Amino acid sequence: MRPARLTVIAAASVAAALTAVTGCSQKSDAGGNDAIKVAASDSACDVSKTEFPAGKVQFDVENKGAKVTEVYVLFPDARIVTERENIGPGTKASITAEIKAGEYEIVCKPGMKGDGIKQKVKVTGKGAAEEKRSPEADAAVAAYRAYVVTQAEETLPKAQAFADAVKAGDIEGAKKLYATSRIGWERTEPVAESFGDIDPKVDVREDGLEAGQDLEKDWTGWHRLEKALWADNKIGDREKQLADTLITDLTDWQKKVGQAEITPTSIANGAKELLDEVATGKVTGEEERYSRTDLVDFKANVEGAQKAYELLKPIASKNDPELVKQLDTQFAALNTLLDKYRADQTTYEFTSYDKVGEPERKELSDGVNALAEPLSKLAAAVTK
């Protein structure tokens, strides 16, 4: 999970709002050759137009502040429609979207903390978002939906075995089951995150709690139990209770995941988000700071991104064959690099991340970046 995110609510109607394509530079129907300008600073979020027609819209974001920022497009009830994270001071980023009529908020989040600075916008009329998908796109959506449902269904028994070990007070047994209980979640995390409060309950890290939340009362999920097992080396009544809570929350996720609104561009953007998760949490060693099982999560994130890409590949091959060649090459290279730390190609036994030196971490980071750059263009290729 990304630390200190905006709270999100169920995404059942996300595609009815916006299908986002990040990292590209198409023209905006709303403003002719001119994109909607978003000037983000440490104290303001200025939007050049607060009303524009539906269709393909480009938002050009410039961070004029001294802090790294994030920009979100939201419904007024805080559902995340699309986002662009880690926009550094003095840098620019673009978000191209197909957006339907409705009311939204553009939110700049300086320092990537708190509720952010909000600007209401209104989208009117009908546009390209009304167009019917191709048979290839429909097939990709159907296959990806089946994939995320399967991952949720396969996660539950693994998580239950982990929870049972915690409740039995079996510290070593729980440690052995911890990492593999998270694989299905990590493969499909962007979809899981769309269901609002499930992600903070299940996957929040200690430093991801919002201001005002109580560490003992409000910190739940896998990482709370991870700390108990590895850092505290004890299982008490609270941990046993949290094991049951974890299963309750994951069961809720499993019931909802089949209802997620999935589109070709959300699949593509989700693949890029998984690589961002690797870059900001796994490569840095922040995600599994107690268990040091970061490489298991790393591999699962890459697998989820590759599955999304493979399902969209028939579309991308027609629209941008050169991009497909780059993605095939970079996925293969990153997987080869990861497998150097894998004890057995048939299992998820990876080297403990505290035993991976700084040069090797830099090599992994470079591999992620080499893949992330072309992967950021996949959504644009899908919409050509």
Side-chain angles (χ1 to χ4, degrees):
M1 176 184 175
R2 303 183 189 107
R5 300 174 58 94
L6 283 167
T7 301
V8 291
I9 300 174
S13 57
V14 164
L18 180 118
T19 301
V21 183
T22 59
C24 54
S25 56
Q26 298 175 6
K27 294 181 181 180
S28 167
D29 293 348
N33 293 331
D34 297 323
I36 307 300
K37 309 293 184 183
V38 181
S41 70
D42 297 343
S43 59
C45 187
D46 296 324
V47 181
S48 62
K49 294 181 181 180
T50 57
E51 184 170 334
F52 42 86
K56 193 171 291 184
V57 182
Q58 180 175 316
F59 299 93
D60 281 351
V61 181
E62 182 176 4
N63 183 0
K64 297 184 176 181
K67 302 176 182 178
V68 65
T69 196
E70 301 173 333
V71 173
Y72 295 77
V73 179
L74 306 174
F75 281 109
D77 62 8
R79 282 174 292 159
I80 293 178
V81 182
T82 190
E83 61 185 290
R84 186 65 180 267
E85 299 184 324
N86 298 309
I87 306 171
T91 65
K92 299 178 180 180
S94 294
I95 306 171
T96 300
E98 291 181 7
I99 184 169
K100 289 187 176 181
E103 295 184 352
Y104 306 89
E105 288 181 327
I106 295 176
V107 182
C108 305
K109 195 176 180 186
M112 301 195 293
K113 296 282 186 179
D115 293 331
I117 304 164
K118 301 178 181 180
Q119 172 65 63
K120 292 183 178 180
V121 295
K122 184 176 182 180
V123 180
T124 59
K126 296 182 178 181
E130 303 287 350
E131 295 177 3
K132 186 178 180 180
R133 287 198 299 255
S134 68
E136 293 87 353
D138 282 337
V141 168
Y144 191 72
R145 185 182 302 281
Y147 175 70
V148 297
V149 169
T150 298
Q151 293 305 307
E153 290 175 344
E154 291 180 352
T155 294
L156 272 179
K158 294 176 182 178
Q160 185 66 65
F162 167 68
D164 289 345
V166 172
K167 290 166 65 178
D170 183 358
I171 293 176
E172 292 306 313
K175 285 181 177 180
K176 291 177 181 178
L177 294 166
Y178 169 77
T180 53
S181 75
R182 292 173 46 73
I183 291 172
W185 175 275
E186 291 290 337
R187 286 172 176 162
T188 60
E189 194 165 0
V191 176
E193 286 177 340
S194 72
F195 291 106
D197 61 350
I198 296 177
D199 182 63
K201 287 178 181 178
V202 167
D203 199 34
V204 72
R205 302 197 301 262
E206 184 174 358
D207 56 351
L209 294 175
E210 297 289 346
Q213 287 189 302
D214 180 82
L215 193 61
E216 181 60 29
K217 178 182 177 182
D218 298 316
W219 189 20
T220 61
W222 269 303
H223 294 304
R224 169 65 177 80
L225 294 170
E226 178 202 5
K227 182 177 184 295
L229 293 170
W230 274 272
D232 304 332
N233 197 37
K234 67 178 183 180
I235 296 174
D237 290 341
R238 176 59 173 160
E239 286 72 35
K240 293 177 181 179
Q241 180 187 54
L242 289 173
D244 280 333
T245 301
L246 175 65
I247 298 305
T248 298
D249 293 333
L250 288 175
T251 300
D252 188 22
W253 163 57
Q254 186 268 329
K255 290 178 180 177
K256 289 182 176 180
V257 73
Q259 304 168 19
E261 191 66 48
I262 296 172
T263 67
T265 46
S266 75
I267 298 171
N269 288 325
K272 177 58 167 61
E273 287 176 30
L274 286 169
L275 263 292
D276 290 342
E277 290 280 342
V278 173
T280 59
K282 281 68 174 182
V283 169
T284 61
E286 295 176 28
E287 181 81 5
E288 306 292 356
R289 61 191 64 174
Y290 305 111
S291 66
R292 314 314 300 158
T293 57
D294 302 86
L295 289 174
V296 178
D297 290 358
F298 192 139
K299 181 65 172 179
N301 284 159
V302 173
E303 286 177 337
Q306 187 163 9
K307 180 66 175 182
Y309 162 60
E310 292 292 345
L311 292 176
L312 295 171
K313 189 173 177 178
I315 305 171
S317 294
K318 293 179 179 179
N319 296 338
D320 196 338
E322 184 57 36
L323 177 65
V324 167
K325 291 180 183 178
Q326 293 179 47
L327 287 170
D328 284 344
T329 298
Q330 296 304 332
F331 266 116
L334 185 55
N335 279 313
T336 298
L337 186 58
L338 266 174
D339 286 344
K340 288 169 54 178
Y341 303 94
R342 197 173 188 177
D344 184 335
Q345 303 305 306
T346 64
T347 70
Y348 277 81
E349 293 182 18
F350 282 85
T351 302
S352 180
Y353 204 56
D354 56 336
K355 296 180 181 178
V356 179
E358 287 303 321
E360 291 75 23
R361 293 188 184 195
K362 174 65 165 54
E363 185 181 32
L364 287 166
S365 179
D366 289 345
V368 171
N369 292 335
L371 173 58
E373 193 279 328
L375 193 60
S376 70
K377 300 174 183 178
L378 179 60
V382 169
T383 60
K384 284 184 179 179

